[in-house]
Amino acid sequence: MSRTSPPHHQQHPQQGELSRRSLLRTAGGLTAGLTLGTAVTATTADAAPATFTHPGMLHNAGDINRAKVRVAAGTDPWLSGWKKLTANPHSASTWTPNPQATIIRGGTGENYGILYNDIAAAYQNALRWKVGGTEANAACAARILNAWSSTLTTLTGNADRFLAAGIYGWEFANAAELMRDYTPFDLAAFQEMMANVFHPLNNQFLTGHNDACITNYWANWDLCTMASILAIGILNDDATTYDQAVTYFKSGAGNGSIEHAVPYLYTDSDGYALGQWQESGRDQGHTVMGMGQMGAVCEMAWNQGDDLYSYDDRRFMKAAQYVAKYNTGQDVPYTTYTWGSGQNCAQQSQTVIGSGSRGQLRPVWAMLHFHYNRRLHLDDKYISAMYDDLVAPEGGGGDYGSTSGGYDQLGFGTLMYAK
């Protein structure tokens, strides 16, 4: 399989495939509290909606209402997910933000931990307000977001600055999306920060890859960048920015596009379709991280009417099944993975799957399980085992260690996605 020129079928929907938005238009709209604007006229699978749905990133109005109703009724698993949220210190309404004018990731003077802790606090307080209705949590979330939008001007460091702009870009935007209808939150100032501080680095990386060989950077670098661009497009009602991310997912030249992120496909002895993940030969911590980063892209697009979850015959589901199967202790096939590295595309290869961090738990599986198994009613045997047996109920930032890996995803999927 070519790793530099995706086959023609990757550029377009499969034969007979319709965009999720087209299906929704045919059916007359969305269900469960999510409503697209009546002005939607998009006719292609990768076109942004004419009217963006808000809230419409990781959580839509239906998700929020379901969690609110189920928690109020004391029903599990939502109640267990709510208890994980309220037990997390980041969700306390007394959290005090620590905004910085300059955030550094990579090199001398790193201080990016300050940012990811404050983002986790903003998001968790926003969830507590949306689900529990507590004004103190809303005020806290707004206070954190306003403090950063009035202070942060620069993201810098070595190449890792692009990771900071990507991961913290989409996470920050998600917290803001939940707060956009809360008057004390200065949405305009926050939108400006995202457009002027985060997006330029996102765009620089996705279009130039830090002047390196196009395959040099692992899939997660592209994916967190795509997620940030997508989230900024939604937050700012910017169709061009939104489309940049969706188009790259389908046909981008780097490792975050769907064919490059999942280069080899298999069927196991039980008949389940599997897809080898681009970072599988590296280690499992980064591989599981990829499930969260691509999952975030797919979920945000889903809530705007684009079904990337099912793109290319559900290629992402095959990868998630593969990663889950290996990380629950089972064997999976592996094909030698070769790529060009550095500036001159020097060839490197991985001949066996990476066992480092095997079984690492991150809060990325609820989103995937409840989409494929409950929304689509598909048999997600390995994803389901990973979620049900090892992860549920999911926590969030602060529940999975104090280092950056524990904050690479926002979490709380049991509370927000259980169906």
Side-chain angles (χ1 to χ4, degrees):
M1 179 181 294
S2 168
R3 292 197 42 76
T4 56
S5 54
H8 181 73
H9 77 269
Q10 285 297 112
Q11 313 289 338
H12 306 284
Q14 301 295 294
Q15 183 177 5
E17 176 187 341
L18 294 173
S19 74
R20 177 171 179 259
R21 194 176 302 117
S22 298
L23 293 172
L24 293 169
R25 287 201 307 276
T26 302
L30 293 171
T31 59
L34 174 59
T35 304
L36 282 174
T38 56
V40 172
T41 58
T43 57
T44 58
D46 61 350
T51 301
F52 283 91
T53 297
H54 298 297
M57 290 191 205
L58 290 184
H59 314 302
N60 61 47
D63 294 332
I64 295 166
N65 185 64
R66 182 182 58 247
K68 182 186 303 183
V69 169
R70 296 297 189 180
V71 169
T75 308
D76 265 334
W78 299 270
L79 182 62
S80 294
W82 174 252
K83 289 178 178 178
K84 291 287 288 188
L85 173 62
T86 58
N88 191 310
H90 291 78
S91 78
S93 62
T94 53
W95 185 275
T96 301
N98 185 18
Q100 306 291 308
T102 299
I103 285 294
I104 303 169
R105 177 163 179 168
T108 303
E110 285 188 324
N111 64 347
Y112 66 101
I114 296 171
L115 177 57
Y116 65 65
N117 274 281
D118 272 6
I119 291 173
Y123 173 74
Q124 292 178 31
N125 272 274
L127 275 190
R128 288 190 67 168
W129 173 53
K130 284 292 189 181
V131 176
T134 46
E135 173 72 19
N137 290 112
C140 180
R143 188 165 60 248
I144 297 168
L145 297 173
N146 290 342
W148 280 92
S149 66
S150 63
T151 305
L152 182 65
T153 60
T154 307
L155 295 173
T156 189
N158 60 22
D160 285 2
R161 69 190 183 278
F162 295 114
L163 288 175
I167 298 168
Y168 311 134
W170 73 259
E171 292 184 340
F172 229 164
N174 267 274
E177 178 75 357
L178 291 173
M179 298 304 300
R180 66 185 301 136
D181 58 347
Y182 183 70
T183 303
F185 169 48
D186 191 342
L187 175 61
F190 200 89
Q191 290 172 319
E192 183 177 355
M193 178 188 71
M194 296 307 298
N196 295 336
V197 179
F198 287 85
H199 186 262
L201 281 173
N202 298 152
N203 183 65
Q204 183 183 343
F205 183 79
L206 208 61
T207 57
H209 285 85
N210 201 28
D211 297 323
C213 178
I214 189 65
T215 56
N216 178 71
Y217 287 97
W218 303 102
N220 273 310
W221 290 69
D222 271 359
L223 286 167
C224 69
T225 301
M226 293 152 60
S228 183
I229 291 172
L230 192 75
I232 292 169
I234 296 168
L235 184 74
N236 291 2
D237 295 301
D238 182 343
T240 300
T241 296
Y242 176 94
D243 279 346
Q244 180 185 14
V246 173
T247 299
Y248 198 94
F249 177 94
K250 295 179 177 180
S251 59
N255 287 324
S257 62
I258 186 64
E259 186 214 12
H260 297 113
V262 193
Y264 302 108
L265 302 177
Y266 313 95
T267 301
D268 70 9
S269 59
D270 291 328
Y272 289 93
L274 306 176
Q276 182 173 312
W277 187 250
Q278 190 262 343
E279 300 195 44
S280 290
R282 185 186 183 191
D283 64 67
Q284 297 310 303
H286 287 97
T287 296
V288 175
M289 176 188 174
M291 300 301 97
Q293 302 298 312
M294 185 169 277
V297 171
C298 291
E299 186 67 20
M300 289 189 287
W302 173 270
N303 284 326
Q304 296 301 329
D306 280 313
D307 187 2
L308 301 183
Y309 275 119
S310 295
Y311 189 73
D312 191 20
D313 196 25
R314 301 193 187 99
R315 197 178 186 101
F316 179 41
M317 181 182 180
K318 296 169 186 176
Q321 287 273 80
Y322 178 96
V323 174
K325 183 175 183 180
Y326 185 66
N327 281 278
T328 52
Q330 301 175 72
D331 294 333
V332 293
Y334 186 83
T335 299
T336 295
Y337 179 75
T338 301
W339 75 99
S341 65
Q343 290 185 309
N344 299 317
C345 291
Q347 294 291 291
Q348 295 195 49
S349 294
Q350 292 165 336
T351 59
V352 296
I353 193 167
S355 60
S357 303
R358 188 177 186 182
Q360 183 181 94
L361 300 183
R362 289 182 181 231
V364 305
W365 298 104
M367 180 190 300
L368 308 185
H369 170 60
F370 288 110
H371 175 79
Y372 289 117
N373 184 270
R374 299 298 176 86
R375 277 180 182 153
L376 303 188
H377 307 292
L378 299 173
D379 182 355
D380 65 337
K381 176 181 178 179
Y382 305 118
I383 297 170
S384 179
M386 191 77 193
Y387 171 71
D388 288 332
D389 299 341
L390 298 176
V391 181
E394 280 187 355
D399 291 321
Y400 298 88
S402 60
T403 58
S404 62
Y407 294 81
D408 287 340
Q409 46 283 308
L410 291 169
F412 301 104
T414 301
L415 172 64
M416 299 308 298
Y417 298 118
K419 296 175 180 62

